[in-house]
Amino acid sequence: MNELARVTDLAARLLARLAGESGIGRGGGPPVGYTAAHEEAYTGANDDTLPFDFLSGGHKVGRSVVKLVVPRFEGAQPAIGSTGEQRRYSGTGWLIAPELVITNFHVICARETGEGDPEPADLDLQVRGTSVQLDYDREHAVPATTTVTGLVARGQRGGERDYAILRVVRCAEWPAPLALRRQPPSIPPEGYAVNIIQHPAGMPKRVAARSNLLRPSTGRELQYFSDTLGGSSGSPLCNDAWEVIGLHRASGPAANVVVK
């Protein structure tokens, strides 16, 4: 057995052990030949590598992304669910200014699709009862939690301007607001890769990085392919410089799409 074959066999044994398999491990098959004259190459026409600080930049931006938990009120009273507890809805938000968090208006409405908007009194109770959780990054993490003091501005639920800006109470180790992209191109081209930091289904923070490509878009709406769930609403849509270029608000089916 030559040197390369011995290294391959040892690697196969170690991998088998790591996978929890019994016995002495499986052989790794014949070694892959390598010719020094072969040049390395990118796998496609475009360079898909990124500067190393892309990772640290994403981590920094992620600190400013928060989980929102909104209690539901009906007739100025807590709406009680089948468990006997008040119904609550989760969403994502991010710091747009030192004490301001932006999300979707439909997140703080805490209503199902097809239901009307909450009455003003119920909406006010929901806004002021919203829990803002920072650094909920992994299972069993104990996030720092702060509260909302009021609704600063809002758009329309479910439409192109589905946004809400909340004033929140600053807590310890407060993160910095996210930077918005203000330079052209104002409308990224089709195939442009984007990144989404989110709390899907109220889970700990997750990131959909780069394998999210834009479809042809307009000046008011960006469409892209990505993995999101309910609870992702209100997430920042970022470019590779971690500048915010959009606000995630909804998902829908796409026809005539081929994934390669």
Side-chain angles (χ1 to χ4, degrees):
M1 182 180 294
N2 62 33
E3 185 66 20
L4 181 57
R6 283 197 295 271
V7 171
T8 301
D9 184 66
L10 176 60
R13 291 168 184 260
L14 292 174
L15 289 172
R17 185 180 302 174
L18 288 172
E21 297 178 8
S22 62
I24 61 174
R26 295 194 297 257
V32 178
Y34 172 76
T35 303
H38 287 180
E39 296 182 358
E40 296 186 41
Y42 290 120
T43 56
N46 299 318
D47 177 5
D48 200 37
T49 65
L50 293 166
F52 180 69
D53 62 5
F54 172 81
L55 301 176
S56 59
H59 183 268
K60 181 179 178 180
V61 165
R63 285 221 59 229
S64 301
V65 177
V66 300
K67 176 182 172 181
L68 303 174
V69 181
V70 184
R72 175 167 172 151
F73 284 83
E74 297 174 2
Q77 298 296 320
I80 305 302
S82 58
T83 63
E85 298 180 349
Q86 186 173 13
R87 296 175 64 186
R88 299 180 185 275
Y89 292 70
S90 65
T92 303
W94 45 279
L95 283 165
I96 195 171
E99 295 179 353
L100 300 178
V101 165
I102 187 170
T103 186
N104 295 133
F105 182 53
H106 77 255
V107 170
I108 61 170
C109 281
R111 294 297 187 269
E112 302 292 343
T113 301
E115 290 187 292
D117 290 352
E119 294 296 325
D122 291 333
L123 178 62
D124 184 65
L125 287 168
Q126 291 172 183
V127 167
R128 296 179 185 276
T130 295
S131 171
V132 180
Q133 300 180 5
L134 290 83
D135 298 327
Y136 182 41
D137 296 345
R138 61 193 61 83
E139 288 290 347
H140 310 301
V142 180
T145 302
T146 189
T147 55
V148 176
T149 59
L151 177 61
V152 176
R154 71 171 181 85
Q156 293 183 334
R157 175 179 166 218
E160 291 180 346
R161 296 177 61 81
D162 187 349
Y163 75 93
I165 298 178
L166 310 173
R167 187 174 299 281
V168 300
V169 178
R170 187 191 297 249
C171 61
E173 298 184 6
W174 197 246
L178 299 189
L180 306 182
R181 179 173 177 82
R182 301 183 185 278
Q183 296 80 19
S186 57
I187 306 176
E190 181 179 6
Y192 189 90
V194 295
N195 309 288
I196 308 170
I197 301 177
Q198 55 185 306
H199 284 282
M203 295 188 295
K205 197 174 295 171
R206 298 183 70 84
V207 58
R210 305 220 78 237
S211 57
N212 317 287
L213 305 179
L214 290 184
R215 301 182 69 192
S217 302
T218 69
R220 298 181 65 88
E221 185 175 69
L222 301 177
Q223 295 186 351
Y224 43 92
F225 300 97
S226 184
D227 291 324
T228 59
L229 290 171
S232 301
S233 294
S235 303
L237 187 68
C238 299
N239 60 17
D240 285 343
W242 293 108
E243 301 166 315
V244 179
I245 63 172
L247 177 70
H248 177 75
R249 68 173 177 86
S251 64
N256 301 319
V257 175
V258 177
V259 179
K260 296 182 179 179

